[in-house]
């Protein structure tokens, strides 16, 4: 699952895992386990490039060791072509999209601390989200509706 910070990737990912009996993996949580630091702490201490390098390591480890899992990525993961290649080898990429005005900025999201930063990230990332995804999902219908939309389309891929 890809999309902007705050779009609901983690919540939808948990629902998908529950509905399908698959393992759920949140790459931000894996980063915390690997480093002992939150993404925000890594950004503050070492900068965005270091964080993105750690994120790529975590995605690589995940796709090499997990099969059939539901994976929620960080909002910037698709910006790196290497990440997209690895994710596509692992499965389908679903871009969860909802109006930027519906996403609440929070201080725990280093690239979306406030409304202006969130809007800037969206402008920078939108085309990449679209071009890297196999499917764009309207996430404005709430977590359950979004999960059901993914499952409906995912079913078409697994037939």
């Amino acid at each position: 699952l890809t999309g902007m910070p705050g779009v609901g990737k983690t919540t939808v990912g948990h629902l998908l895992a529950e509905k399908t009996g698959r393992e759920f993996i949140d790459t931000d949580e894996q980063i915390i386990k690997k480093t002992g630091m939150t993404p925000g702490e890594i950004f503050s201490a070492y900068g965005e490039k270091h964080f993105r390098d750690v994120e790529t390591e975590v995605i690589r480890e995940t796709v090499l060791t997990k099969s059939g899992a539901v994976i929620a990525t960080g909002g910037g993961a698709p910006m790196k072509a290497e990440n997209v290649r690895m994710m596509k080898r692992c499965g389908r990429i679903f871009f969860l999209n909802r109006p930027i005005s519906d996403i609440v900025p929070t201080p725990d999201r280093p690239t979306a601390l406030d409304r202006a930063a969130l809007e800037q990230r969206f402008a920078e990332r939108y085309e990449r989200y679209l071009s890297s995804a196999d499917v764009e999902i309207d996430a404005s219908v709430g977590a359950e509706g979004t999960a059901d939309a993914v499952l409906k389309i995912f079913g078409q891929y697994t037939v």
Side-chain angles (χ1 to χ4, degrees), residues 13-159:
H14 279 293
L15 287 169
L16 288 169
E18 183 180 301
K19 290 174 182 254
T20 62
R22 294 173 183 263
E23 180 181 7
F24 173 69
I25 299 166
D26 183 308
T27 59
D28 283 347
E29 289 298 319
Q30 296 302 308
I31 289 168
I32 293 168
K33 288 179 185 175
K34 182 179 187 70
T35 66
M37 300 172 77
T38 67
E41 291 167 340
I42 297 170
F43 264 74
S44 293
Y46 303 106
E48 184 172 4
K49 183 188 180 318
H50 179 77
F51 171 78
R52 295 298 171 201
D53 290 345
V54 172
E55 181 178 57
T56 296
E57 287 176 34
V58 165
I59 290 171
R60 182 180 301 109
E61 291 165 2
T62 301
V63 302
L64 290 175
T65 61
K66 302 293 181 180
S67 177
V70 176
I71 302 170
T73 65
M79 300 306 289
K80 207 169 180 181
E82 179 182 359
N83 293 343
V84 172
R85 282 191 302 274
M86 288 187 288
M87 291 187 295
K88 284 193 177 279
R89 280 199 317 250
C90 184
R92 303 287 184 244
I93 298 176
F94 292 88
F95 164 37
L96 305 187
N97 189 14
R98 69 177 172 162
I100 197 71
S101 59
D102 292 350
I103 300 173
V104 178
T106 62
D108 65 328
R109 296 183 177 115
T111 61
L113 298 171
D114 57 34
R115 176 67 45 204
L118 190 66
E119 289 174 0
Q120 181 180 347
R121 292 297 92 68
F122 186 75
E124 293 167 358
R125 295 174 178 178
Y126 181 70
E127 289 302 321
R128 184 66 175 170
Y129 285 144
L130 283 176
S131 67
S132 64
D134 294 296
V135 180
E136 178 183 9
I137 299 289
D138 176 5
S140 66
V141 296
E144 281 285 343
T146 302
D148 289 344
V150 170
L151 286 173
K152 181 178 178 185
I153 293 168
F154 184 74
Q156 294 172 4
Y157 285 122
T158 58
V159 171

